[in-house]
Amino acid sequence: MSRGGGQAAVRVVPAGTTDAPAPVAGPVRVRISDLSKSYESDRGPVQALSGISLDIHDSEFLTVLGPSGCGKSTLLKCVAGLEPVTGGRILIDGKPVTRPPPDLGIVFQRDLLLDWRTNLDNVLISVEFLGLRKRDFVDRARQLLDLFGLAGYEDRYPWELSGGMRQRVAICRALVDNPGFLLMDEPFGALDAMTRDDLNLELQRIWLRDKKTALFITHSVPEAVFLSDRIIVMDRNPGRIAAEFVVDLPRPRTLSDRETAPFIRYSAEIRATITGMGILRNE
Amino acid sequence: MSSLAAGRRRSRFATDILPVILVLGGVVAAWQATVMAFRIPTFLLPSPVAVVTEFLSAPAFYLSNTGFTLTTTVAGFLFALVIGVALALLIVSSRIFDRVLFTLLSALHSVPKVALAPLLVIYLGTGMTQKVVIAAMIAVFTIVINTVVGLRSVDPEVLNMAHSKQASRLKILLKVQLPHALPNLFGALKAATTFTLIGAIVGEFVAGEQGLGYVILTAQGAFDTPRAFVAVVILGLVGTSLFHLLAFIERKVIPWHVSIRSERRR
Ligand SMILES: Nc1ncnc2c1ncn2[C@@H]1O[C@H](COP(=O)(O)OP(=O)(O)OP(=O)(O)O)[C@@H](O)[C@H]1O
Ligand SMILES: [Mg+2]
């Protein structure tokens, strides 16, 4: 893995695994080289990202972990072609990103539901934007809402839902046209632990079944270990990659796997690295 | 369940409608009492009874003049709505239109439209057209400004969401920006009902031989104060009705908006 900018990035392989090659080595879908991004603000430019180099492989589940404000959302938007980069470049399937690629599904950090549409119509707006025939997707939209525990809420409005329910509608909206490339910005941040477990399982199932390429953002170390093939830890000021972990655990993973020794070893290792770098405090 | 709903309806009557009736009734009663107690001559201040009597003496006359003013007002309103929304769409969809039209409109807006009314008689004559144009002109600016603000104030992250699904500009305009602008548009339209009514009356003041404004003008010439009062009271009723009609349509069209939802909960 080449890494520009001379950052002291650590590649950590937990004790017990041999010098591991990445378990997924499909073709590279996204190649980020020496990416930097600064925002213009009234008080001069804000350096949000610096020297980011990273490959995302086809069908890989990659998670970005990092403290608030380290540029995770910015990285996601640059990859999505929604924010112009200020340095370096991003290639998707070999082509420079200038606009959102087709085949894309984004779960944003906020749910962004439209108040004037029912929940079902909020899901289906993706289809309308894409210019596909809406009625071909009504059944799938209903199935998705059902899958995410929202059966019976199809004809209600977003403002009649709890924050966690709204976020689940937003997930359905991202998934309704079955995109192959998923970008998720803390999609489960607003959920209680039980629902979160449930949706982690569901996400793994969907990802395994459809072989999607996924870039996932979270604050939760166990969630990252549970879902990911690979985990990137970011540090801030400016946002950069601080460490990388390969999670070589068999799939499908179950919730109780989280109490097994290898799983705990990964979590502990990641947490120790993060704490050691002063990104997070231990107490 | 149904008794609960009935209870809510009754309390709605008690909290919303009853106070209005009481206040209005109180004002009318006080007005009548004042006129009688101080023996105010009718040509200075006619009593409510005198006003009603005057109306009943020639209902057809008053209704036909009301019809004329109402037609002018509604036509002016519809013109302002169509032209205002069209201009707003042009302004948000092109930078050139934004510069040119906005400059032009602000210049036009800073001229008191009432001052243009006599001029319009030269171009458009003394018929209804001139009055409709004045009414529309007075209302159109508010509609443009508010609609532009509504169309532009969509959360940029929502636009990102749309772009992530390859949405075209037209789709974003129709499916996101326009619905988002509806609450602003309705705010402007409610104000526009008053503006267009003012425009219609100004048009009648300047020229013409029909309408409630014309009735007031001729009544004043003849010192026929009760006649002027009937026209003024009808104008008040027309203005209020138009406003509430708009508020009613608003509740039907954007029941999802926070302002309506919180109103319902009160
Ligand atoms: N549109 C913007 N304009 C200016 N600065 C911005 C903008 N968006 C983000 N930033 C800045 O860039 C930095 C990274 O922000 P970003 O939203 O990517 O962080 P994050 O890692 O997603 O944080 P969180 O975990 O809290 O969501 C922050 O310092 C933020 O202030
Ligand atoms: Mg973020």
Side-chain angles (χ1 to χ4, degrees):
Chain A
M1 201 127 309
S2 72
R3 184 155 287 115
Q7 298 288 331
V10 191
R11 185 184 176 116
V12 183
V13 180
T17 49
T18 46
D19 224 12
V24 264
V28 173
R29 270 216 80 179
V30 182
R31 170 152 285 169
I32 305 168
S33 339
D34 200 20
L35 167 71
S36 60
K37 165 75 187 174
S38 58
Y39 288 106
E40 287 307 323
S41 80
D42 297 340
R43 279 173 290 162
V46 178
Q47 189 75 23
L49 295 172
S50 160
I52 306 268
S53 292
L54 177 68
D55 286 347
I56 306 174
H57 299 265
D58 195 38
S59 307
E60 181 181 22
F61 199 112
L62 179 77
T63 292
V64 177
L65 261 175
S68 184
C70 73
K72 303 181 296 296
S73 297
T74 304
L75 176 63
L76 181 140
K77 277 180 230 170
C78 289
V79 171
L82 293 169
E83 280 287 350
V85 307
T86 41
R89 59 181 194 163
I90 303 175
L91 301 177
I92 295 188
D93 299 326
K95 290 187 289 288
V97 174
T98 52
R99 55 189 311 264
D103 200 26
L104 178 65
I106 306 185
V107 181
F108 290 86
Q109 197 163 2
R110 288 181 292 132
D111 58 67
L112 309 173
L113 299 179
L114 305 175
D115 277 343
W116 56 89
R117 285 180 164 248
T118 62
N119 298 316
L120 181 66
D121 279 339
N122 262 290
V123 174
L124 287 168
I125 197 163
S126 294
V127 175
E128 294 175 36
F129 282 149
L130 286 162
L132 303 170
R133 276 211 317 216
K134 197 171 156 183
R135 66 191 140 90
D136 294 346
F137 289 85
V138 173
D139 286 344
R140 182 173 156 79
R142 286 184 184 280
Q143 277 163 18
L144 273 172
L145 283 169
D146 190 24
L147 200 67
F148 283 91
L150 291 165
Y153 288 95
E154 294 89 345
D155 299 325
R156 301 283 205 87
Y157 286 85
W159 33 273
E160 298 175 291
L161 302 185
S162 73
M165 292 161 92
R166 291 176 63 111
Q167 191 60 15
R168 281 179 271 158
V169 176
I171 297 170
C172 297
R173 178 184 59 201
L175 291 175
V176 69
D177 57 303
N178 202 11
F181 187 27
L182 266 189
L183 302 176
M184 288 168 282
D185 197 347
E186 299 184 37
F188 306 141
L191 298 174
D192 62 282
M194 269 176 346
T195 317
R196 195 166 181 151
D197 284 352
D198 226 36
L199 295 190
N200 276 342
L201 281 173
E202 205 48 66
L203 181 58
Q204 176 183 239
R205 223 173 51 78
I206 291 172
W207 174 79
L208 280 174
R209 187 189 61 200
D210 300 340
K211 282 287 147 217
K212 294 178 191 303
T213 306
L215 177 63
F216 186 89
I217 294 174
T218 182
H219 283 132
S220 158
V221 174
E223 183 172 84
V225 176
F226 180 81
L227 287 169
S228 317
D229 294 322
R230 202 147 55 95
I231 299 171
I232 300 295
V233 177
M234 286 180 69
D235 197 356
R236 69 185 142 192
N237 295 325
R240 59 189 186 275
I241 295 177
E244 180 186 323
F245 299 86
V246 173
V247 183
D248 194 6
L249 292 171
R251 292 185 190 267
R253 300 169 188 166
T254 65
L255 291 177
S256 54
D257 284 350
R258 294 181 305 187
E259 281 99 53
T260 60
F263 196 102
I264 292 169
R265 212 157 45 231
Y266 274 112
S267 295
E269 195 87 39
I270 292 169
R271 207 178 292 281
T273 312
I274 293 173
T275 317
M277 289 184 303
I279 299 175
L280 288 175
R281 261 170 302 173
N282 199 13
E283 43 196 284
Chain B
M1 196 65 205
S2 68
S3 79
L4 192 73
R8 204 176 297 135
R9 216 174 303 127
R10 208 175 313 123
S11 77
R12 173 143 212 135
F13 178 80
T15 56
D16 292 7
I17 300 170
L18 199 61
V20 177
I21 293 175
L22 287 178
V23 168
L24 279 180
V27 167
V28 170
W31 173 7
Q32 181 75 34
T34 312
V35 170
M36 282 163 67
F38 297 100
R39 292 163 202 261
I40 302 174
T42 300
F43 77 89
L44 272 185
L45 180 66
S47 71
V49 172
V51 172
V52 172
T53 313
E54 167 61 28
F55 172 76
L56 292 177
S57 73
F61 167 76
Y62 286 110
L63 288 181
S64 81
N65 281 296
T66 304
F68 182 84
T69 303
L70 191 60
T71 310
T72 313
T73 306
V74 171
F77 177 87
L78 292 177
F79 268 109
L81 170 60
V82 171
I83 294 169
V85 171
L87 287 178
L89 289 175
L90 281 178
I91 286 169
V92 295
S93 54
S94 119
R95 191 158 298 177
I96 296 167
F97 276 126
D98 182 14
R99 297 278 151 74
V100 176
L101 277 178
F102 239 40
T103 319
L104 219 71
L105 276 172
S106 344
L108 190 69
H109 186 58
S110 48
V111 177
K113 260 69 63 185
V114 178
L116 295 179
L119 208 57
L120 283 177
V121 177
I122 300 176
Y123 303 125
L124 301 170
T126 57
M128 193 183 266
T129 317
Q130 166 249 359
K131 295 160 187 68
V132 170
V133 169
I134 294 169
M137 263 172 37
I138 293 188
V140 79
F141 192 76
T142 320
I143 297 179
V144 175
I145 291 287
N146 282 282
T147 310
V148 166
V149 168
L151 291 170
R152 285 208 173 127
S153 61
V154 174
D155 182 347
E157 201 77 333
V158 169
L159 299 179
N160 278 343
M161 184 269 289
H163 289 136
S164 77
K165 293 294 184 187
Q166 315 290 326
S168 65
R169 273 183 71 173
L170 183 65
K171 287 233 173 77
I172 291 177
L173 187 64
L174 294 178
K175 292 179 191 289
V176 180
Q177 288 177 285
L178 264 182
H180 179 85
L182 282 179
N184 297 61
L185 176 60
F186 271 106
L189 290 183
K190 282 194 280 186
T193 56
T194 314
F195 290 151
T196 44
L197 196 54
I198 293 172
I201 297 302
V202 166
E204 291 168 14
F205 277 178
V206 174
E209 49 268 353
Q210 267 193 90
L212 293 172
Y214 172 76
V215 169
I216 292 171
L217 210 62
T218 52
Q220 178 246 324
F223 279 89
D224 191 344
T225 319
R227 185 139 59 101
F229 258 80
V230 173
V232 169
V233 169
I234 295 178
L235 275 177
L237 291 176
V238 168
T240 316
S241 309
L242 286 177
F243 185 89
H244 284 286
L245 177 66
L246 251 292
F248 174 79
I249 297 174
E250 181 185 34
R251 279 196 297 276
K252 294 290 156 210
V253 177
I254 52 168
W256 45 266
H257 192 246
V258 200
S259 64
I260 311 280
R261 269 146 53 198
S262 55
E263 190 183 81
R264 256 206 315 262
R265 219 171 300 131
R266 270 211 315 267

